[in-house]
Amino acid sequence: MKVLIQFLVIGSLASAVLTVGLYGYPCEENSGCDATGNLQCINNQCSCQSGFTRNMFDTCWRAHGEPCEWILDCNVHTFLKCNDTTNTCDCQQPDRQVYDPARETCVSRVGYTCSHETTAPFSLFCVENGVCDMPFVGGIMIHSCICVEGYRMTKDRLCEKIPTWPPIRP
């Protein structure tokens, strides 16, 4: 979808039409992208400006670690909120989530809620080497992160490789 802006010159019948691109649209320069959506032209495509990440509406909101003033300054679709102590974007539940820079989103620690759907953008993924388990507890399906085989939970609720014993020597 492109945003269409029309300008009418007073005293003249002439009007100019300016088409502004949204996230992912082709562009030749920054003026071809919707600046109000925090977009700029990168490699001939409207993309998020530095310090911003895409949300589900194809606009860009402040990324993890960026300065903020209120809760909605940050990209809530990547599970961020404005930390009122540091005034920076941080995970919504830092005791249950950790930021994953590779995915550009907060992910759930082991033992906490996750999304089983992993192909959708903006799913609540598990930490690295973790997977969303769906056991039935009391007749209710629970979605929570567990470590994959060969890994175990650390005290920080991350997944670490289980060491082999005795160590294999080269």
Side-chain angles (χ1 to χ4, degrees):
M1 178 171 104
K2 287 199 174 194
V3 178
L4 180 66
I5 302 172
Q6 291 187 344
F7 296 96
L8 179 61
V9 178
I10 298 177
S12 169
L13 296 177
S15 68
V17 177
L18 173 65
T19 305
V20 181
L22 300 178
Y23 185 90
Y25 278 80
C27 58
E28 292 182 16
E29 55 188 38
N30 285 340
S31 62
C33 300
D34 179 16
T36 61
N38 301 307
L39 296 167
Q40 67 182 18
C41 190
I42 301 173
N43 297 326
N44 295 338
Q45 184 174 353
C46 293
S47 303
C48 293
Q49 296 173 5
S50 179
F52 292 82
T53 56
R54 180 176 71 102
N55 68 16
M56 66 185 351
F57 302 114
D58 286 342
T59 58
C60 303
W61 292 72
R62 293 187 190 280
H64 182 263
E66 292 296 315
C68 56
E69 293 181 19
W70 68 297
I71 194 167
L72 294 178
D73 281 345
C74 306
N75 191 344
V76 296
H77 297 139
T78 58
F79 307 98
L80 294 173
K81 72 171 184 175
C82 188
N83 181 316
D84 57 0
T85 304
T86 63
N87 288 347
T88 58
C89 296
D90 197 2
C91 293
Q92 292 173 359
Q93 297 179 319
D95 59 323
R96 296 172 178 244
Q97 300 168 329
V98 63
Y99 184 73
D100 182 343
R103 294 182 186 159
E104 296 183 330
T105 188
C106 292
V107 296
S108 287
R109 296 175 187 266
V110 175
Y112 294 110
T113 304
C114 52
S115 303
H116 184 67
E117 176 58 54
T118 58
T119 57
F122 316 115
S123 293
L124 184 53
F125 299 105
C126 295
V127 294
E128 186 176 0
N129 299 309
V131 65
C132 193
D133 190 30
M134 300 182 307
F136 279 95
V137 177
I140 299 171
M141 185 181 291
I142 305 296
H143 292 76
S144 65
C145 293
I146 61 170
C147 294
V148 297
E149 189 174 331
Y151 287 79
R152 65 181 176 201
M153 182 177 73
T154 67
K155 64 180 175 88
D156 295 333
R157 294 186 167 267
L158 304 175
C159 295
E160 71 178 359
K161 188 158 184 63
I162 298 172
T164 57
W165 192 256
I168 300 171
R169 299 189 189 266

